Amino acid sequence: MQTSIQDFYRATPWGQEAEHILRNCVHCGFCTATCPTYQLLGDELDGPRGRIYLIKRMLEGGTVSGTTRVHLDRCLTCRACETTCPSGVEYGRLIDIGRELVEPLAPRTRSQRLSRRLLRLILPWPRRLAALTALGRMMRPLMPASLRDKLPRPDASSRDWPDARNGRRRVLVATGCAQKALRPATNAALARLLDRLGIDAVDAPDQGCCGALSQHLAAGDEAAAFARRNIAAWWPAIEAGAEAILVAASGCGVMVKDYAHLLRDDPVYRERAEQVSNLTRDPVEYFADQELAGLRIDIAGVGKIAFHAPCTLQHGQKLSGQVEALLRSLGFELTVVADAHLCCGSAGTYSVTQPEIATQLRDRKLANLLQAGPRRIVTANIGCQLHLESGAGQRVWHWLELLDECGLSL
Ligand code: SF4
Ligand code: SF4
């Protein structure tokens, strides 16, 4: 696609990046067919090609209005369009640039700014989020049903991490924010699985949010600050020989893998960020690299499983089909799920900022997941877990919790 980006923007690294991405787009529209918001809303500007056009127009100095921002806001950043695109257009990077660009050009109302600020002040901070959730549970009887459904279920699963043992291999576990506050059992399950495979799981006390929530809310500087904080917190364990950084929440994993890009212009953190990104693995990648022959597992009574593949796993990290293959190789029976490539509507803060679209996508997803009558719904990302649970009326599992419960061991 031809572009005539304003010199002011072309002088910036992100302006050059946007120009490069835009020039790869041939405007064929193949991506439109797999875009969930286009499928629901039927407006070209609520599909990837339309949003690419809006971002191009902004960069070329064209008219920008609140409507531009609305169409960009409605994007889930699910990146299904990237998977479909034959020209390799990096839409995910472009929408991040477009979102930061549109904020000052089409300012939000005071109440919108306040609610987004509140999200950034609460969600990335595990103690604040846990305290607010506890308060919400106390007030539950007084809440309207629509709000009650959104409250995460209490989780009584074990949070015990096994003690590290001298002389063993070790990996660092990125514990995140929402998962740490609302489903701490998931990281504990990962630590127990690793322990049974003879590997120590190391926590880093000062680590925190990966920055993805800030990135979703067009606060790139804040996302970079979270990244620097994590790198500093992880560095002692990396220097002490951690062989990988495992991220159980695929939404956080895709972000940490992107630290090298996020901090590419930071002279202090650039090299460390590259090393961190290179070390980062989704647990399914790490397990695929291990010698797993002769594993023991008891899957009696588990029944059929419907696996929901998070967009951040399949489109973001390009690990489509890997968890499903691992579960099948261990003997689990997985159902076939229609439209598995489509987003469930969780998408970071999307279920809060765009509740109507998010609920429609959730209900479609649940209908597909439940169609073959599974006993359990299983996924790989905390956001999808909680969002699906809010409509499913049943617990949604992380696949690591499932393997832990089934006693996977050597
Ligand atoms: S993003 Fe890719 S699939 Fe979509 S219009 Fe551009 S080139 Fe075609
Ligand atoms: S990221 Fe998802 S919602 Fe956004 S344009 Fe691409 S396919 Fe559509």
Side-chain angles (χ1 to χ4, degrees):
M1 182 197 296
Q2 280 198 335
T3 56
S4 54
I5 289 178
Q6 291 203 313
D7 291 344
F8 169 74
Y9 293 134
R10 197 185 273 135
T12 64
W14 52 265
Q16 288 159 18
E17 186 181 20
E19 182 174 41
H20 172 75
I21 296 169
L22 286 169
R23 287 192 169 173
N24 280 340
C25 175
V26 295
H27 233 58
C28 62
F30 287 160
C31 51
T32 305
T34 54
C35 173
T37 55
Y38 179 75
Q39 285 187 5
L40 275 186
L41 304 167
D43 183 336
E44 172 80 12
L45 295 179
D46 286 316
R49 188 168 61 172
R51 293 181 178 121
I52 288 170
Y53 168 73
L54 290 173
I55 296 168
K56 175 177 181 284
R57 199 169 64 179
M58 274 197 287
L59 288 161
E60 290 178 343
T63 315
V64 182
S65 69
T67 310
T68 314
R69 183 169 36 68
V70 166
H71 291 299
L72 300 191
D73 278 351
R74 284 186 191 147
C75 172
L76 297 139
T77 330
C78 67
R79 294 168 63 182
C81 48
E82 272 189 28
T83 300
T84 314
C85 175
S87 304
V89 171
E90 292 177 291
Y91 174 87
R93 294 210 193 288
L94 189 66
I95 187 74
D96 280 348
I97 294 169
R99 282 185 169 143
E100 290 225 25
L101 194 60
V102 81
E103 289 294 324
L105 296 176
R108 294 177 190 277
T109 62
R110 186 192 289 255
S111 72
Q112 282 176 332
R113 286 203 304 275
L114 181 67
S115 61
R116 290 165 74 89
R117 182 86 193 118
L118 276 176
L119 288 174
R120 283 164 48 203
L121 280 173
I122 295 168
L123 296 184
W125 303 97
R127 283 199 198 129
R128 294 176 202 173
L129 182 56
L132 198 71
T133 307
L135 183 68
R137 287 189 185 128
M138 274 165 30
M139 310 288 285
R140 202 168 191 274
L142 306 174
M143 287 179 175
S146 58
L147 213 58
R148 262 202 313 261
D149 292 344
K150 296 213 180 312
L151 260 185
R153 313 171 141 237
D155 180 20
S157 311
S158 168
R159 302 169 181 195
D160 293 341
W161 279 49
D163 290 332
R165 291 184 233 167
N166 282 338
R168 298 208 302 181
R169 295 164 59 193
R170 67 178 91 145
V171 298
L172 188 60
V173 174
T175 49
C177 54
Q179 182 165 272
K180 181 174 180 166
L182 305 176
R183 271 300 166 80
T186 304
N187 285 322
L190 174 59
R192 288 190 294 267
L193 286 168
L194 290 163
D195 179 63
R196 289 188 225 125
L197 299 176
I199 301 162
D200 284 339
V202 180
D203 192 358
D206 294 329
Q207 65 175 320
C209 175
C210 65
L213 288 165
S214 308
Q215 188 87 356
H216 274 286
L217 293 166
D221 289 346
E222 189 174 84
F226 277 122
R228 288 188 199 96
R229 174 187 153 180
N230 277 339
I231 292 169
W234 294 336
W235 204 250
I238 293 169
E239 286 195 317
E243 60 185 61
I245 301 168
L246 298 191
V247 195
S250 61
C252 308
V254 73
M255 182 72 190
V256 179
K257 285 182 175 179
D258 208 36
Y259 278 4
H261 180 264
L262 188 68
L263 299 178
R264 66 196 183 287
D265 298 319
D266 183 325
V268 178
Y269 276 87
R270 185 176 52 221
E271 284 180 18
R272 289 183 182 195
E274 264 176 36
Q275 203 168 328
V276 161
S277 290
N278 289 338
L279 280 172
T280 301
R281 304 270 181 284
D282 186 273
V284 77
E285 292 176 276
Y286 186 74
F287 286 147
D289 288 344
Q290 307 307 309
E291 179 50 66
L292 296 182
L295 280 179
R296 285 174 295 161
I297 188 162
D298 178 9
I299 61 169
V302 171
K304 280 193 290 189
I305 290 171
F307 183 73
H308 164 59
C311 302
T312 42
L313 192 71
Q314 54 174 332
H315 306 304
Q317 299 194 49
K318 317 287 183 212
L319 296 174
S320 194
Q322 295 209 15
V323 176
E324 296 94 315
L326 176 68
L327 293 177
R328 285 199 179 98
S329 75
L330 292 169
F332 292 98
E333 184 186 352
L334 269 68
T335 63
V336 175
V337 178
D339 288 338
H341 62 286
L342 289 182
C343 180
C344 68
S346 168
T349 54
Y350 195 93
S351 59
V352 182
T353 57
Q354 303 283 342
E356 283 177 22
I357 301 174
T359 303
Q360 288 182 56
L361 290 173
R362 182 198 70 186
D363 293 347
R364 283 186 180 196
K365 178 61 71 179
L366 281 171
N368 286 331
L369 285 166
L370 295 170
Q371 193 171 23
R375 289 271 293 275
R376 300 190 198 211
I377 300 173
V378 177
T379 188
N381 185 48
I382 179 70
C384 310
Q385 243 176 310
L386 301 180
H387 185 56
L388 291 173
E389 270 185 6
S390 72
Q394 60 173 281
R395 177 175 175 176
V396 174
W397 296 67
H398 193 292
W399 63 273
L400 292 167
E401 296 173 312
L402 182 70
L403 295 193
D404 181 48
E405 193 201 66
C406 294
L408 181 79
S409 65
L410 274 176

